[in-house]
Amino acid sequence: MAGRASAREGGDVMRMFWCLGLLACSAVANAAPKADLWPRWQAHDATSTATVSYTEWDRLLGSYVVAGSDGVNRVAYSRVSAADKAALAAFVKRLEALPISRYAQPEQYAYWVNLYNAKTLQLVLERYPVSSIRDIKLGGGLAAQFFGGPWAKNVLLVEGQKLSLDDIEHRILRPIWRDARTHYAVNCASIGCPNLARQAYTPAKMQTMLDEGARAYVNHSRGATVERGKLVVSSIYRWFIDDFGGNDAGILAHLRRYASADTLAMLAPFKSLGDNGDRYDWALNDERAAPAP
């Protein structure tokens, strides 16, 4: 009897691992969330003249985001003072307390980008040192359990609604504004990510900063490069292909739109991405890991 029970339990364990394997494969296949509009956050007041102040966020960015000689902005996490950690926490709380649905859409766009970036920085600082943001495992779903990262967990409370970083990016920013340049604004604290800007986004500076972010990334090897005759692009373009035209031609058109003369020449031979590779460096964007000048 005991032997039969043991065999049955062994079979159950094998089935469990088989199911987990299938779930893991499914999670990999769906690792990049689709844009999925949360209608509740479409509310806005086009007549509102209310503005959001980012004075303390500007100061923190200017103090701790360092432009590297290799074109990568890194954060001096180890140098952030206790007072500035407290200032960051207070800033996030202030943004959470705003009735953002009563603001005009240009203010909302800047608000959500800055809130996303500030909360990401806070989450990393709370657990620093870490080698990658993916080491921060807060839970929040199967993909998060397998691959880590804080994105799926509810970490914010705005207008009484719990929000995750995924909610901000994939259910608010992407589907409401439908601007591929949003990917250059929200920062995931990784080397492979577009640079964390050294100043806050504001409605007045938004379009200029989005264009600057796009050009900086597209014309850097993180965005696109040629290796052994093959075009290698950032995984961002593969993960979120729907935001970049939905196909290879759309990605290439986007790259060319922001390409310098040298990058245009590099892209010229390529009509599609084909089976060429893509890559993304998940190492933390830590100033301490910057290459020597």
Side-chain angles (χ1 to χ4, degrees):
M1 186 70 176
R4 292 176 61 185
S6 178
R8 183 172 63 250
E9 290 167 0
D12 290 342
V13 169
M14 290 302 294
R15 281 190 292 274
M16 180 186 72
F17 278 107
W18 179 76
C19 290
L20 286 174
L22 289 179
L23 289 171
C25 291
S26 175
V28 171
N30 298 284
K34 300 291 185 182
D36 180 20
L37 177 64
W38 191 343
R40 180 253 186 275
W41 297 106
Q42 288 181 298
H44 65 281
D45 182 354
T47 66
S48 173
T49 58
T51 61
V52 181
S53 170
Y54 300 109
T55 302
E56 62 266 59
W57 182 227
D58 256 330
R59 183 185 65 78
L60 291 167
L61 291 169
S63 298
Y64 297 110
V65 179
V66 181
S69 59
D70 59 352
V72 179
N73 285 2
R74 292 176 172 84
V75 180
Y77 296 104
S78 63
R79 294 196 288 107
V80 180
S81 68
D84 280 341
K85 289 177 184 178
L88 175 60
F91 170 70
V92 170
K93 284 295 184 185
R94 180 168 68 80
L95 291 195
E96 286 182 285
L98 292 177
I100 194 62
S101 293
R102 302 178 194 170
Y103 286 66
Q105 279 197 317
E107 284 290 339
Q108 291 177 338
Y109 195 5
Y111 167 90
W112 289 118
V113 169
N114 289 320
L115 179 57
Y116 183 103
N117 289 341
K119 188 62 184 181
T120 299
L121 179 59
Q122 183 185 23
L123 288 170
V124 173
L125 285 170
E126 287 173 348
R127 291 153 181 85
Y128 186 82
V130 291
S131 60
S132 170
I133 192 172
R134 295 174 73 181
D135 296 336
I136 301 174
K137 299 182 179 182
L138 304 182
L142 181 65
Q145 293 175 33
F146 275 98
F147 306 111
W151 302 287
K153 183 71 172 177
N154 289 332
V155 292
L156 292 162
L157 185 67
V158 178
E159 295 185 359
Q161 179 65 62
K162 294 179 180 179
L163 293 167
S164 68
L165 294 174
D166 272 351
D167 288 332
I168 294 177
E169 183 175 4
H170 308 302
R171 303 189 67 195
I172 299 174
L173 284 169
R174 289 175 61 208
I176 292 178
W177 280 275
R178 296 179 178 273
D179 191 328
R181 296 175 301 168
T182 297
H183 291 289
Y184 304 116
V186 292
N187 185 269
C188 70
S190 301
I191 293 295
C193 188
N195 284 335
L196 175 60
R198 300 191 70 241
Q199 58 182 317
Y201 286 84
T202 65
K205 296 184 291 187
M206 178 63 73
Q207 297 306 313
T208 297
M209 290 182 68
L210 290 174
D211 279 345
E212 288 174 347
R215 285 193 293 268
Y217 196 66
V218 167
N219 295 294
H220 192 276
S221 58
R222 290 171 300 165
T225 190
V226 173
E227 295 178 354
R228 298 179 182 177
K230 289 190 174 184
L231 178 63
V232 179
V233 300
S234 167
S235 298
I236 288 174
Y237 302 120
R238 297 282 199 184
W239 293 334
F240 303 108
I241 190 170
D242 290 347
D243 296 353
F244 297 97
N247 51 36
D248 286 8
I251 293 173
L252 287 169
H254 176 87
L255 294 174
R256 291 184 173 112
R257 186 174 305 124
Y258 298 100
S260 64
D262 287 345
T263 302
L264 279 173
M266 179 188 76
L267 296 171
F270 300 96
K271 306 303 179 187
S272 72
L273 301 181
D275 61 354
N276 294 347
D278 61 277
R279 65 184 176 198
Y280 196 84
D281 186 348
W282 282 107
L284 190 70
N285 59 344
D286 191 343
E287 182 201 31
R288 295 198 306 182

